[in-house]
Amino acid sequence: MAGLLEGHIAAVTGGGSGIGQGICQAYAREGARVVVLDVNLDGAHETVGLIKAAGGKASAVRLDVTDRQACRDIAATIARDGNISILVNNAGINRRNPITGDAAAVAKDWEDILSINLDGVFNVTHAFLDQLRATRGRIVNIGSIQSFVHVSWPNSAAYTTSKHGVLGFTRALAAELGKDGVRVNAIGPGLIETRINAEARAKNPDMVANVMRHTPLNRAGKPEDIAGPAVFLASDMSSYVTGCIIMADGGFRTV
Ligand SMILES: NC(=O)c1ccc[n+]([C@@H]2O[C@H](COP(=O)([O-])OP(=O)(O)OC[C@H]3O[C@@H](n4cnc5c(N)ncnc54)[C@H](O)[C@@H]3O)[C@@H](O)[C@H]2O)c1
């Protein structure tokens, strides 16, 4: 049986670890050729190795999403082998420091988080826009529970702001690009066990317990839990879906 993404070329930022790696593997399993973009080239190579070992097609490219010119250059290079039809904006970082903390540290968190999590999404999307319009493509942005605010979820102003921005960008682009046949959606993962939160989980079990008390499925997620919605949003299965955020959070936000 043909895969759901046969004939597609997918670019995935932050594809060298965690959720991005899981999405890359799932897309390759469904027949897409995957371009794994990551500032950590070793991680990107690891993902490519996993995909190739399973018989899929993938290549690794080092990209820092904060470097707007590099995004443009890499998009142009990739286009020589064919236009991408799927873009996943997944690269991201998180730091949870109170806004009332050390002023210099708070300002640095703000700059780093916004430049990767939000400006990075703009930089990459804009660089691939012509390709996505030419292929009537699909954009999948990785938002968060923190695309919304909930008192029992551990917060941080910079990260929350960045993920609200990702949701706003998703909706604005869906409205603007629908006429070109480009669909733009987001996924809102709950607590997913990856490197981004490994230290927080280890140092702060109360945080995890607090989140789980509000999570009907009563477990943290794995990258595979995000891969399914990501395949759905990239495939023709979601041909009439745009401008939405699919929460993959064990029910945290729903109940
Ligand atoms: N893990 C969770 O609980 C969770 C929940 C909600 C949302 N998210 C979001 O999911 C996405 C993936 O996170 P993850 O949990 O897999 O974390 P992760 O740390 O395992 O992976 C993040 C990847 O992004 C890459 N990256 C970081 N800065 C980059 C840059 N400037 N340019 C290119 N690549 C860069 C890293 O090298 C890494 O490979 C992020 O946007 C994160 O905010 C994660």
Side-chain angles (χ1 to χ4, degrees):
M1 207 176 84
L4 287 168
L5 302 179
E6 216 67 59
H8 283 278
I9 304 174
V12 181
T13 70
S17 174
I19 291 171
Q21 184 170 76
I23 292 173
C24 288
Q25 289 177 276
Y27 280 6
R29 268 197 304 276
E30 293 297 336
R33 175 155 73 76
V34 182
V35 185
V36 185
L37 303 168
D38 206 299
V39 70
N40 173 11
L41 190 57
D42 289 343
H45 279 306
E46 181 187 296
T47 303
V48 170
L50 291 168
I51 289 173
K52 288 193 169 164
K57 298 182 283 290
S59 56
V61 179
R62 185 186 178 280
L63 176 67
D64 180 345
V65 298
T66 66
D67 184 341
R68 190 167 298 161
Q69 189 55 48
C71 292
R72 291 188 188 126
D73 294 345
I74 283 164
T77 305
I78 288 170
R80 287 189 213 132
D81 293 328
N83 287 334
I84 67 156
S85 48
I86 300 168
L87 171 64
V88 182
N89 284 306
N90 163 79
I93 61 165
N94 194 5
R95 292 183 210 133
R96 293 188 195 282
N97 293 316
I99 193 103
T100 47
D102 173 73
V106 166
K108 171 110 176 76
D109 284 351
W110 183 268
E111 282 156 17
D112 291 349
I113 290 172
L114 270 293
S115 72
I116 295 173
N117 293 13
L118 188 54
D119 293 349
V121 173
F122 167 78
N123 293 340
V124 177
T125 305
H126 201 249
F128 282 107
L129 203 52
D130 290 346
Q131 296 184 45
L132 289 160
R133 292 176 73 217
T135 55
R136 300 176 73 80
R138 301 96 208 252
I139 300 173
V140 180
N141 295 324
I142 304 302
S144 169
I145 293 259
Q146 287 178 249
S147 294
F148 309 89
V149 171
H150 193 288
V151 283
S152 71
W153 187 269
N155 235 303
S156 64
Y159 187 81
T160 297
T161 303
S162 75
K163 292 300 185 180
H164 274 61
V166 168
L167 180 56
F169 188 63
T170 301
R171 290 171 168 159
L173 282 200
E176 196 173 341
L177 298 178
K179 64 179 181 332
D180 298 324
V182 179
R183 295 189 295 104
V184 190
N185 291 290
I187 299 173
L191 181 64
I192 311 296
E193 290 172 347
T194 68
R195 278 182 210 154
I196 209 171
N197 50 33
E199 196 181 327
R201 281 184 285 117
K203 283 190 182 160
N204 194 354
D206 286 353
M207 177 274 283
V208 178
N210 200 30
V211 168
M212 287 312 121
R213 263 193 291 282
H214 198 83
T215 301
L217 292 182
N218 198 30
R219 66 169 176 86
K222 306 267 183 211
E224 307 87 85
D225 291 312
I226 307 304
V231 169
F232 170 71
L233 290 175
S235 77
D236 291 341
M237 301 275 283
S238 58
S239 55
Y240 204 49
V241 179
T242 197
C244 89
I245 182 164
I246 294 184
M247 298 310 294
D249 61 358
F252 181 94
R253 211 176 155 264
T254 319
V255 298

